[in-house]
Amino acid sequence: REKSKNVLQLISETLDRDLIILLRTIGEVAEDIGFKAYAVGGFVRDLLQKQKNLDLDIVVEGDGIIFAKQLVKTLGGRVRTHDRFKTANITLANGFKIDVATARLEYYEYPAALPTVELSSIKLDLYRRDFTINAMALQLNPALFGTLIDFFSCQNDLKDKLIKVLHNLSFVEDPSRILRAVRFEKRMDFKIARHTERLIHGAVKMDLFGKTNNPRIFTELKQIFEEENPILAIRRLADLELFQFLWPDLLPNLKIDRRFLHIIRQAQQAISWFHLLYLDEPIEPWRVYLLAIMARSRPRQIETFCERFQIHDHICRELIIQKLTADEIGNKLYGRIPEKNSEINQMLKNLTNEGLLYLMAIARKKEIKKTVSLYVTSLRNVQSLLNGDDLKKLGYIPGEQFKKMFSDITDARLDGLVKSREDEKQFILKHFPR
Ligand code: ATP
């Protein structure tokens, strides 16, 4: 039983004018070439909750590639096509991105004498999606613009705040959906439906992904770590007994005890703190969370994790180096916080932003966090006032020595030994013979 209703009103209340015009244009372009176009997935889910979602996924009944090329002809922008899956990624002139997929007509063979049945391809496309809340479509062709297509009573699940798979084999088909279920549950404060949760338990019992190294799983794990507050999701993964799958060789060390939760919480705080400070400096939170979760593991265990999920060698090496460096510094700082700022700089200079945040996460004393935060917000930015020309004017010849001079001036500034340009000149003349 198909339930469809028109949500034009909701569209005009929720979406910006430009976006509505874009949706209408998509429908018109599709109509012109005899295809049907639908907005699908998270976009529709969020629309029904009166929320904006700037990822636009379009499914075309027809040929997605022909459609995408035609749309770019009309609107400008760039298109990248993938012939094998008949998908395309469009970037419009203003930077807006649209993913286009093709719903292919397929035929269902019924046993015995019954005829072959042609399923509408959008229905099949939606049936293959992860959860009912993501399995609605919005008609965009002019005559039916704004018609919501809901074959599987998805709207009810959305209203009841339930995460439900579309069929019993869903997790067998793609175990990474388990991570998606947890992510949506915690992000939207929904609940994984009882039957769906039972299927998850079943999948875990069957060791469904015991051997899988499906890179999608790591992609989804990263997605969880990109959420604003992934702690509840991380706990839920543990409760669903997924940790033993994600980090099997860690089991002896991997206890969801107070210390573990404390580290994760501190990681989350450090990341939020960093985001507030440096809105435009990109960091990769997943690295911080992964190291925080693996705080008690050895390099070999991190390697195993990376191998399993096909994480590049250089990323793996970087993770291990940052962890070992931060662990060692963490121990040193636990024993003694250096008095001299220059010493703090020296200690922390080899850590990346992610390494620094991990160090804050494992800090066992407030003073350690304070020291790292002082370094991040001020010490690491201190520079000498003099430049190369100044040194030349003082009679020094450029070369290796300049590096040492700058670094010594910086240390002197950090420790308050020099304050002005004049101080720096005197300092250099005193310590470096011409
Ligand atoms: P978000 O708000 O996190 O972007 P989203 O629902 O848009 O959520 P995407 O990962 O961008 O999530 O996926 C887009 C759509 O593709 C989903 O709404 C879902 O319908 C479908 N989808 C994504 N991953 C899967 C999967 N593993 N199995 C089935 N369908 C999937």
Side-chain angles (χ1 to χ4, degrees):
R1 261 176 307 124
E2 173 180 350
K3 267 202 201 127
S4 49
K5 67 173 185 197
N6 201 295
V7 292
L8 267 180
Q9 173 112 19
L10 193 58
I11 291 175
S12 64
E13 281 168 12
T14 312
L15 306 179
D16 293 337
R17 224 180 90 86
D18 288 352
L19 184 51
I20 300 177
I21 294 174
L22 174 64
L23 293 173
R24 286 205 180 266
T25 309
I26 290 172
E28 284 155 16
V29 168
E31 183 76 22
D32 280 349
I33 49 182
F35 297 159
K36 283 187 188 156
Y38 306 84
V40 295
F43 182 86
V44 182
R45 176 196 71 219
D46 290 347
L47 172 67
L48 291 178
Q49 296 192 295
K50 302 199 174 147
Q51 277 166 21
K52 286 178 194 159
N53 179 327
L54 293 179
D55 294 328
L56 185 53
D57 284 317
I58 299 293
V59 167
V60 172
E61 280 181 324
D63 185 319
I65 292 186
I66 295 176
F67 163 79
K69 286 183 175 159
Q70 193 60 34
L71 188 66
V72 166
K73 246 190 220 161
T74 312
L75 292 177
R78 284 171 293 129
V79 60
R80 242 190 23 226
T81 60
H82 313 276
D83 295 328
R84 218 176 117 216
F85 300 108
K86 285 211 179 284
T87 59
N89 308 104
I90 297 176
T91 308
L92 296 180
N94 62 8
F96 194 86
K97 292 193 166 70
I98 306 171
D99 285 341
V100 178
T102 305
R104 266 166 292 187
L105 218 50
E106 299 198 18
Y107 298 90
Y108 260 68
E109 295 279 352
Y110 276 88
L114 288 170
T116 301
V117 173
E118 185 188 296
L119 269 185
S120 99
S121 53
I122 186 68
K123 183 167 185 178
L124 206 53
D125 181 281
L126 296 172
Y127 185 66
R128 288 202 187 106
R129 286 175 184 265
D130 48 1
F131 309 113
T132 53
I133 55 167
N134 290 332
M136 285 171 278
L138 196 64
Q139 260 279 11
L140 300 180
N141 288 51
L144 294 168
F145 184 83
T147 306
L148 181 76
I149 298 182
D150 176 3
F151 294 105
F152 315 109
S153 76
C154 307
Q155 293 172 83
N156 288 337
D157 294 339
L158 196 61
K159 224 183 296 131
D160 298 340
K161 296 175 176 273
L162 285 176
I163 315 280
K164 238 187 231 177
V165 287
L166 286 132
H167 56 83
N168 288 349
L169 290 179
S170 191
F171 296 126
V172 178
E173 255 170 44
D174 180 357
S176 76
R177 288 174 185 161
I178 298 180
L179 300 186
R180 292 179 64 84
V182 169
R183 176 160 65 92
F184 287 123
E185 180 181 74
K186 296 310 169 197
R187 182 211 288 171
M188 310 202 298
D189 197 14
F190 276 32
K191 186 95 194 85
I192 296 175
R194 260 181 50 207
H195 180 64
T196 297
E197 186 164 335
R198 230 176 279 132
L199 293 174
I200 294 179
H201 289 308
V204 172
K205 278 224 186 68
M206 279 164 59
D207 196 21
L208 191 59
F209 28 36
K211 278 150 224 97
T212 183
N213 58 356
N214 181 350
R216 270 189 168 183
I217 289 174
F218 180 62
T219 307
E220 290 299 341
L221 191 62
K222 258 163 104 174
Q223 288 284 325
I224 288 180
F225 293 157
E226 299 293 322
E227 295 282 320
E228 203 167 295
N229 186 353
I231 295 177
L232 289 176
I234 292 172
R235 287 195 81 146
R236 183 75 151 126
L237 290 179
D239 291 343
L240 289 170
E241 299 182 346
L242 287 174
F243 265 48
Q244 47 196 308
F245 149 69
L246 291 165
W247 292 282
D249 28 38
L250 286 191
L251 268 188
N253 296 321
L254 201 78
K255 289 193 222 80
I256 316 291
D257 53 16
R258 275 182 51 196
R259 170 84 185 134
F260 177 88
L261 289 170
H262 183 65
I263 292 177
I264 307 293
R265 222 173 288 127
Q266 296 210 105
Q268 196 266 330
Q269 282 164 5
I271 291 166
S272 308
W273 168 81
F274 191 90
H275 277 319
L276 277 178
L277 273 178
Y278 301 100
L279 290 173
D280 45 2
E281 195 170 327
I283 50 164
E284 296 182 62
W286 73 264
R287 293 180 188 241
V288 185
Y289 285 116
L290 183 66
L291 290 184
I293 287 175
M294 302 188 80
R296 288 180 268 198
S297 337
R298 296 175 198 296
R300 179 73 206 122
Q301 297 170 316
I302 297 180
E303 265 173 28
T304 309
F305 181 88
C306 291
E307 277 162 20
R308 175 132 178 254
F309 294 112
Q310 297 165 40
I311 299 169
H312 278 295
D313 282 352
H314 69 274
I315 296 179
C316 185
R317 266 197 306 275
E318 172 78 14
L319 284 167
I320 292 173
I321 290 170
Q322 289 299 314
K323 177 167 189 301
L324 292 178
T325 312
D327 285 345
E328 194 191 323
I329 297 171
N331 283 331
K332 274 199 196 138
L333 290 174
Y334 189 69
R336 181 184 85 92
I337 308 274
E339 273 153 35
K340 283 186 176 172
N341 285 342
S342 61
E343 207 185 319
I344 296 176
N345 247 28
Q346 191 59 30
M347 218 176 194
L348 298 179
K349 70 175 188 205
N350 291 325
L351 287 176
T352 59
N353 283 332
E354 287 83 358
L356 290 162
L357 296 176
Y358 166 70
L359 175 56
M360 291 177 102
I362 58 166
R364 278 172 293 166
K365 275 187 194 166
K366 267 211 188 82
E367 292 74 42
I368 300 179
K369 276 196 277 184
K370 272 200 196 134
T371 304
V372 181
S373 115
L374 177 71
Y375 170 77
V376 171
T377 53
S378 96
L379 302 187
R380 67 172 174 176
N381 304 313
V382 170
Q383 281 181 340
S384 64
L385 298 177
L386 299 185
N387 60 27
D389 281 342
D390 297 323
L391 295 183
K392 274 193 254 172
K393 277 188 205 138
L394 287 176
Y396 294 98
I397 298 154
E400 265 305 297
Q401 190 184 218
F402 270 34
K403 232 179 166 175
K404 169 90 172 110
M405 289 167 135
F406 285 129
S407 121
D408 282 7
I409 304 176
T410 307
D411 283 353
R413 280 189 70 80
L414 282 164
D415 298 339
L417 302 176
V418 298
K419 295 208 159 66
S420 62
R421 282 173 59 87
E422 197 44 46
D423 288 352
E424 292 191 1
K425 280 185 193 167
Q426 294 307 325
F427 175 87
I428 286 293
L429 291 169
K430 186 169 156 205
H431 291 93
F432 292 87
R434 273 178 286 192

